Amino acid sequence: HRIGSMVQCNHCKAFVWIQESLKSSKASNPLFSICCQHGEVNLPPIRTAPGLLELIAGETNDSRTFRSKIRLYNSALSFTSMGVNVDRELANGREGVYTFRVCGTVVHKIGSLLPPENGKAKFAQIY
């Protein structure tokens, strides 16, 4: 199954699938409510952290080292546990599709390589 290329919303420039356009819109000028509600919601653009951008796209020794080890970093973080406060009223599963809304900050919990003596293993220590 091929879903096709993504297009940009004319209002907020979010990338969306053409299949997410409103049925009432034309293929030549698709309208989307999934991102900005036809331009009614206007959020300031998210700025990329300059340090991260330099690591990803830069040409310094640190940048090249970061990119050469990016899979290792990803693997290390994949064994973390997520800490979050969940909005249980929205994520109640009583109606519609399941929605997961976070209140506050998302953190990744990662412990030491080995659990303390006589301690219970957690996070990556389990594996």
Side-chain angles (χ1 to χ4, degrees), residues 10-51:
N10 291 329
H11 296 287
C12 68
K13 305 301 180 206
F15 286 98
V16 290
W17 303 107
I18 193 69
Q19 292 87 342
E20 294 175 308
S21 63
L22 297 173
K23 302 277 186 237
S24 60
S25 67
K26 298 176 183 172
S28 60
N29 186 28
L31 299 174
F32 303 93
S33 63
I34 191 170
C35 47
C36 67
Q37 203 68 16
H38 315 289
E40 290 181 28
V41 176
N42 188 7
L43 298 174
I46 298 173
R47 294 180 297 167
T48 304

Side-chain angles (χ1 to χ4, degrees), residues 66-79:
F66 177 80
R67 287 192 303 270
S68 72
K69 298 181 187 242
I70 199 163
R71 285 186 180 262
L72 295 171
Y73 301 141
N74 185 54
S75 294
L77 291 174
S78 69
F79 283 101

